[in-house]
Amino acid sequence: MSKRAISTDQIHHPYHAPEGWNAFPPGVFKASTVLFKNTADLHQYRPRDGQSYRYGLHGTPTSYTLAARIASLEGAQHCLLVPSGLAAVTLVSVGLLRPGDEVLVPDNVYGQNRYLSESWLPQFGITYKFYDPLDVAGFKALLTPQTKLVWLEAAGSITLEFPDLLGLLAACKAHGGVITALDNTWGSGVAFNPFEIAPGVGADVSIQALTKYASGGADVLMGSVCTRDSGLHERLNHAHEHLGYGLGQNDVELVLRGLPTLELRYRAQDATTRALAAWMQAQPQVAQVLHPALPGSPGHAHWLQTSCAGAACLFSAVFKPEYSARQVDAFVDALALFGIGYSWAGPMSLAVPYDLSRSRNLGRHFAEGVVVRFAIGLEVEADLRADLAQALAIL
């Protein structure tokens, strides 16, 4: 047999690593094409069950490992991975809603979910309504036979109102036929179990932006969609396949690397955040501090009722009305240890001022004034407190 060309020999080299390798970090398998043993193996049906392989887009040993671990974290049986938290939101709404259906969305929902509901879903004949997550009676009045999906968010985006989860879920169950989907990025599988918020009470679907706590490094975009219901999982799985959601396996590796330290980071950032939120509340420039674990914060009683074991790394400060948006911007610019940028749960603390005039239409539960959301990282509390103090001094 004549010697093959170097490129051919490298592509078709006969060596395969022997069985028996095992190590703590999961292996990283990167591939688009999955090779079959023969044509009979090729023609054999392979379901999208997290067990078999047919194409890299559908899953590799690396991504199946991460999906299994996220399902355990969430207390679920099934998990689908997607390229971002927004992709997780989109998968649920697109996978579960049909023309003529209606979705109810909390008024303090993650902004991209608001835009999806307002600007994209109506193109497919899907209607929407916003509701006040602290007003269960008003929520009940919005439910109709067309209501097929209710989004829940605990805590709410930016202003961090903690919803009456037990009341809202009970209303959905009594109405019948309504699927509930919870954005559990804030809880992250640590604060509470989204499927067992109370005995016999839980959401049908839980999504996370794994970009946040699961990664922890501020260097990955990824999301997850979990459920205990096999029927719902099949519907979501079907949409997942046709939307073509795929992941880079190096990104999967980074999230797998972050999971063992998730709870440690969550609790460390939670402790620093509570201390800084309480300190900020005492400052004369501040009208109100929004943080679910802080007495007086909107939804604090619901946070207690849910028996949360944590409160994440976010708090928002509402500056007194005499401080203009320009002055508050100058305060944020004066911060030395807080980056100015979106996202949260990474190592670096962040601060972002918000104009909420266009994204809050119902039941404003916080004081008048410019809002700054703080995402607390892994810096030492005393250093962050000193930085906040020096920036407040310019006001």
Side-chain angles (χ1 to χ4, degrees):
M1 181 177 177
S2 60
K3 179 175 173 59
R4 296 183 297 196
I6 290 174
S7 60
T8 302
D9 190 54
Q10 289 300 309
I11 294 169
H12 294 276
H13 200 282
Y15 176 82
H16 291 275
E19 295 291 332
W21 170 264
N22 192 17
F24 171 69
V28 181
F29 295 83
K30 295 184 285 187
S32 53
T33 298
V34 174
L35 296 178
F36 300 91
K37 296 177 182 178
N38 49 46
T39 53
D41 188 35
L42 172 74
H43 296 314
Q44 182 178 338
Y45 172 69
R46 281 175 168 76
R48 284 172 53 92
D49 57 1
Q51 301 293 326
S52 56
Y53 310 105
R54 52 179 174 160
Y55 191 66
L57 182 67
H58 304 145
T60 72
T62 314
S63 62
Y64 285 170
T65 299
L66 178 58
R69 294 187 183 186
I70 296 297
S72 296
L73 177 69
E74 291 271 65
Q77 269 77 52
H78 309 282
C79 175
L80 294 168
L81 300 175
V82 291
S84 67
L86 174 56
V89 171
T90 303
L91 176 63
V92 172
S93 288
V94 171
L96 300 181
L97 293 169
R98 297 293 179 267
D101 290 347
E102 178 181 71
V103 58
L104 299 189
V105 182
D107 194 46
N108 59 356
V109 75
Y110 165 53
Q112 294 300 320
N113 197 342
R114 174 181 286 272
Y115 304 144
L116 176 77
S117 302
E118 288 178 321
S119 303
W120 205 64
L121 294 181
Q123 298 179 75
F124 304 97
I126 298 165
T127 59
Y128 65 90
K129 292 175 187 170
F130 292 106
Y131 69 90
D132 180 348
L134 301 182
D135 180 6
V136 173
F139 171 77
K140 289 179 180 178
L142 296 175
L143 293 167
T144 71
Q146 287 72 46
T147 307
K148 301 300 181 185
L149 176 65
V150 170
W151 276 102
L152 306 163
E153 189 152 339
S157 182
I158 304 170
T159 45
L160 302 170
E161 301 95 337
F162 202 89
D164 186 352
L165 285 178
L166 299 183
L168 295 169
L169 287 166
C172 291
K173 185 174 182 179
H175 189 70
V178 180
I179 299 168
T180 54
L182 171 70
D183 186 333
N184 194 34
T185 306
W186 180 91
S188 202
V190 177
F192 59 91
N193 184 326
F195 300 101
E196 294 180 14
I197 297 169
V201 180
D204 297 307
V205 177
S206 176
I207 73 108
Q208 278 198 51
L210 303 180
T211 308
K212 309 299 195 293
Y213 271 116
S215 162
D219 55 0
V220 174
L221 289 167
M222 199 176 296
S224 61
V225 179
C226 290
T227 183
R228 289 182 171 182
D229 186 295
S230 296
L232 282 178
H233 175 67
E234 286 305 312
R235 292 170 64 183
L236 292 165
N237 204 2
H238 180 73
H240 186 275
E241 178 170 15
H242 290 286
L243 288 170
Y245 285 143
L247 304 170
Q249 299 307 301
N250 288 118
D251 288 346
V252 175
E253 176 192 16
L254 289 176
V255 177
L256 281 167
R257 188 174 67 180
L259 288 182
T261 62
L262 187 156
E263 185 176 11
L264 287 172
R265 290 182 283 104
Y266 191 102
R267 300 212 181 281
Q269 289 170 279
D270 181 358
T272 303
T273 303
R274 294 192 201 210
L276 290 174
W279 179 86
M280 197 73 170
Q281 186 172 237
Q283 304 312 302
Q285 301 91 339
V286 174
Q288 185 181 17
V289 171
L290 308 171
H291 182 276
L294 202 63
S297 188
H300 173 68
H302 304 314
W303 178 82
L304 291 174
Q305 185 183 37
T306 307
S307 300
C308 283
C313 66
L314 299 172
F315 76 90
S316 291
V318 186
F319 283 78
K320 289 181 176 178
E322 57 260 37
Y323 298 105
S324 67
R326 180 175 295 181
Q327 287 176 296
V328 176
D329 283 353
F331 157 78
V332 173
D333 287 339
L335 292 166
L337 298 181
F338 289 78
I340 302 173
Y342 299 108
S343 199
W344 44 277
M348 176 188 284
S349 294
L350 303 170
V352 177
Y354 284 91
D355 174 8
L356 297 175
S357 61
R358 293 178 296 172
S359 61
R360 293 292 186 278
N361 302 314
L362 304 171
R364 183 184 174 109
H365 298 286
F366 51 95
E368 293 293 333
V370 179
V371 175
V372 176
R373 188 187 73 181
F374 299 93
I376 304 305
L378 292 169
E379 302 94 341
V380 171
E381 177 204 331
D383 293 334
L384 294 175
R385 187 170 63 250
D387 191 29
L388 289 168
Q390 66 82 24
L392 285 169
I394 74 167
L395 294 176

